[in-house]
Amino acid sequence: MEQKEIRFPLFIDLNGRKAVVVGGGAIACRRAGVLRTFGAQVTLIAPEWKEHIEGVSWLQRPYQSGDLDGAVLAVAATDDRAVNRQVGEDACALGIPVSVADRREECTFLFPAVCLGEELVAGVVSANNDHKAVARAAAAIRETLKEGKG
């Protein structure tokens, strides 16, 4: 029986710290918004972006070497495999945790479905990349937190 990969949940302080999101589509924007919620100074790098997010800095251009300098966290979420791979490689070379949206095996951390409640935070990921199971679990947790059960 093959063992599923399971990762340790790690909660870090992002308040006032630089996080870089590369990509301007729905996934990149969603992740930039989540990081901003946790106080990160988010820089989004993309020629275009789907949704302008308050408090997120936008570099309107393609990703370049050096864009991750000073970052504590990186997200690669473009529709270009080569760019995502480069962001992942650059982040790893700099020792920066990176989530690569299209290649789980290139991630050093998995970006969770985030569930917030009064003074509670939960993150949900799947050991086997089952997005529907994550969505169901996150919805149940959010409902529990909303009802004040958490």
Side-chain angles (χ1 to χ4, degrees), residues 136-147:
R136 284 191 306 272
I141 292 167
R142 288 181 183 120
E143 189 60 34
T144 299
L145 293 175
K146 186 169 67 174
E147 294 171 0

Side-chain angles (χ1 to χ4, degrees), residues 24-36:
I27 292 171
C29 291
R30 199 166 47 245
R31 291 182 180 178
V34 169
L35 293 170
R36 187 70 196 113

Side-chain angles (χ1 to χ4, degrees), residues 3-103:
Q3 184 175 356
K4 294 179 182 174
E5 178 185 321
I6 186 164
R7 298 204 184 190
F8 178 77
L10 177 67
F11 292 84
I12 64 171
D13 180 9
L14 292 177
N15 196 39
R17 301 175 84 192
K18 180 181 177 181
V20 175
V21 176
V22 181
I27 292 171
C29 291
R30 199 166 47 245
R31 291 182 180 178
V34 169
L35 293 170
R36 187 70 196 113
T37 297
F38 286 90
Q41 292 181 343
V42 180
T43 300
L44 186 138
I45 303 167
E48 297 179 12
W49 66 336
K50 188 175 185 82
E51 176 185 339
H52 293 254
I53 302 159
E54 187 175 334
V56 172
S57 299
W58 178 31
L59 294 181
Q60 187 178 7
R61 60 169 174 73
Y63 174 77
Q64 299 172 3
S65 179
D67 282 343
L68 301 182
D69 291 349
V72 297
L73 191 90
V75 174
T78 75
D79 58 4
D80 185 323
R81 173 86 281 271
V83 172
N84 287 348
R85 182 177 49 250
Q86 188 62 56
V87 172
E89 289 174 359
D90 291 352
C92 287
L94 294 168
I96 300 169
V98 63
S99 173
V100 181
D102 65 342
R103 289 289 193 279

